[in-house]
């Protein structure tokens, strides 16, 4: 079946612009995660949804970052007034059920470059 | 605080030789541990995981990992490396939330 998809794959934004990154999880997956991966680093947790409920947003770096999953499927990560330090790859992952023992399946990521 | 550590930035191994990519963890309780692989411009792909039970876990593409509670380690191993195994490998783990290591670049030399 189809895996996790993300769009766009690449995004160039001017500093101060707003961007929206989309994630389509595997159909039927309850949990959805967003990560930020800086160059040469591992994925850093941003936020977690169980169905439409955002249960953990402790990793969002500032109030410029906002995520939603209104119908418990597709999710959007929005970054307002982008800054150069926001440049990174943003990864989305989904898992069939909730819980840290569940395998997460990752999308290809969106590479964001803020100029 | 829980964490995983990958002490090697890069591992070089000759094709056909056994490979080991190291991971240690610091997690209270019984940890859930994972290995993922990342190829250039691709997302992370799941290789294997340890939840409970047998300490030796077998995964995709001939990889396996051994959970060692006394050494708090979960090293990834493969008996015979292939050039196509060259990639970035991430260990991940946790008890209530999963965190990722910084990754180890594996270079298999023909």
């Amino acid at each position: 079946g189809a895996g996790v998809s993300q769009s766009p794959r690449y995004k160039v934004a001017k500093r101060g612009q707003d961007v929206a990154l989309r994630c389509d999880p595997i159909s039927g997956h309850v949990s959805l995660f967003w990560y930020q991966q800086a160059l040469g680093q591992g994925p850093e947790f941003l936020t977690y949804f169980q169905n439409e409920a955002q249960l953990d947003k402790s990793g969002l770096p500032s109030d410029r970052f906002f995520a939603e999953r209104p119908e418990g499927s597709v999710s959007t990560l929005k970054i307002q007034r982008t800054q150069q330090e926001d440049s990174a790859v943003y990864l989305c992952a989904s898992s069939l059920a909730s819980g840290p023992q569940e395998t997460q399946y990752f999308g290809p990521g969106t590479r964001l470059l803020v100029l | 605080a829980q964490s995983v550590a990958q002490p090697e930035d890069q591992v070089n191994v000759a094709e056909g030789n056994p490979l080991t990519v190291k991971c240690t963890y610091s997690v209270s309780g019984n940890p859930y541990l994972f290995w993922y692989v990342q190829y250039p411009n691709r997302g992370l792909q799941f290789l294997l995981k340890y939840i409970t039970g047998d300490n030796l876990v077998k995964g995709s593409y001939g990889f396996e990992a051994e959970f060692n509670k006394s050494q708090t380690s979960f090293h990834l191993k493969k008996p015979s490396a292939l050039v196509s195994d060259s990639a970035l490998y991430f260990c991940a783990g946790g008890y209530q939330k999963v965190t990722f290591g910084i990754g180890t670049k594996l270079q298999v030399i023909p």
Side-chain angles (χ1 to χ4, degrees):
Chain A
V4 178
S5 61
Q6 292 185 246
S7 60
R9 290 292 311 276
Y10 303 92
K11 177 70 178 177
V12 179
K14 293 183 179 179
R15 190 165 52 124
Q17 273 186 327
D18 297 349
V19 299
L21 312 180
R22 177 187 169 108
C23 172
D24 282 84
I26 295 172
S27 178
H29 276 200
V30 165
S31 298
L32 187 145
F33 304 81
W34 282 99
Y35 293 88
Q36 182 188 61
Q37 186 177 20
L39 191 64
Q41 300 295 317
E44 293 282 343
F45 171 81
L46 293 177
T47 188
Y48 161 62
F49 290 85
Q50 183 176 311
N51 295 309
E52 68 279 3
Q54 189 175 20
L55 298 187
D56 188 343
K57 53 182 181 179
S58 62
L60 296 176
S62 77
D63 59 8
R64 296 186 294 104
F65 287 71
F66 171 77
E68 60 183 3
R69 194 187 185 198
E71 297 179 359
S73 179
V74 171
S75 177
T76 303
L77 176 67
K78 297 179 180 178
I79 309 173
Q80 297 176 326
R81 305 181 303 281
T82 53
Q83 303 295 314
Q84 287 185 323
E85 62 263 28
D86 299 334
S87 296
V89 176
Y90 290 86
L91 296 170
C92 175
S94 68
S95 62
L96 182 61
S98 61
Q101 75 281 5
E102 292 294 316
T103 299
Q104 295 181 33
Y105 296 91
F106 283 80
T110 294
R111 185 177 297 274
L112 173 65
L113 177 62
V114 181
L115 301 177
Chain B
Q2 59 179 39
S3 68
V4 293
Q6 295 181 245
E8 302 157 316
D9 290 337
Q10 181 160 336
V11 170
N12 296 321
V13 63
E15 185 178 22
N17 282 5
L19 69 86
T20 298
V21 183
K22 296 180 180 178
C23 173
T24 59
Y25 66 89
S26 172
V27 176
S28 58
N30 294 319
Y32 305 113
L33 296 164
F34 302 80
W35 276 101
Y36 288 86
V37 60
Q38 187 175 36
Y39 296 98
N41 299 316
R42 304 275 297 275
L44 279 71
Q45 295 179 35
F46 169 74
L47 281 178
L48 50 82
K49 70 178 177 183
Y50 172 83
I51 298 177
T52 187
D54 288 341
N55 290 339
L56 185 64
V57 180
K58 294 187 181 297
S60 306
Y61 312 118
F63 284 94
E64 59 187 28
E66 185 172 7
F67 173 69
N68 188 317
K69 190 170 184 177
S70 64
Q71 296 185 4
T72 63
S73 67
F74 189 58
H75 300 334
L76 181 70
K77 299 183 179 185
K78 187 174 182 180
S80 178
L82 300 173
V83 172
S84 57
D85 293 330
S86 299
L88 195 55
Y89 290 79
F90 290 96
C91 180
Y95 178 58
Q96 293 180 323
K97 184 190 293 186
V98 171
T99 58
F100 285 79
I102 64 170
T104 298
K105 182 179 180 181
L106 174 67
Q107 189 76 39
V108 180
I109 303 163

